[in-house]
Amino acid sequence: MLATDPGQAGAPDAVRQYVRHGAGPRGAQAVILAAKAKAILAGRGEVAAADIRQALPMALRHRISLNYEGQAEGIAPESLLDQIVSKWPAR
């Protein structure tokens, strides 16, 4: 979940401006497990990109810590995650 880390070169500008701490390795594990569960519930044996897109906000919204500026601006972690997901190629 490097895109949620404000110190990474590939992070969106909004993440760099408003995030203090991004999601760590456990966040990535949570996304993977949630995406697997979505695939199983849909009757599929493999995870699709759509499963990851849907699982990401639920698994990471509480793992992103906003800095003072982000809190003062009333930025929602979900909006930052939406920006990250929107940059992924659609498949």
Side-chain angles (χ1 to χ4, degrees):
M1 308 293 35
L2 295 176
T4 64
D5 184 358
Q8 292 294 320
D13 292 335
V15 169
R16 290 185 190 177
Q17 183 176 359
Y18 298 121
V19 174
R20 181 173 185 183
H21 299 290
R26 286 184 26 211
Q29 291 173 341
V31 171
I32 292 168
L33 288 175
K36 285 180 179 181
K38 285 189 166 292
I40 289 171
L41 290 173
R44 291 180 279 110
E46 70 282 339
V47 174
D51 298 323
I52 296 171
R53 287 178 188 271
Q54 292 174 356
L56 193 122
M58 293 181 286
L60 297 184
R61 76 175 122 222
H62 67 283
R63 296 179 185 273
I64 293 177
S65 175
L66 298 176
N67 61 18
Y68 178 76
E69 185 178 359
Q71 292 175 9
E73 295 282 332
I75 302 297
E78 292 88 354
S79 67
L80 296 173
L81 293 170
D82 287 342
Q83 289 180 25
I84 292 168
V85 171
S86 70
K87 293 187 181 211
W88 289 354
R91 289 187 182 180

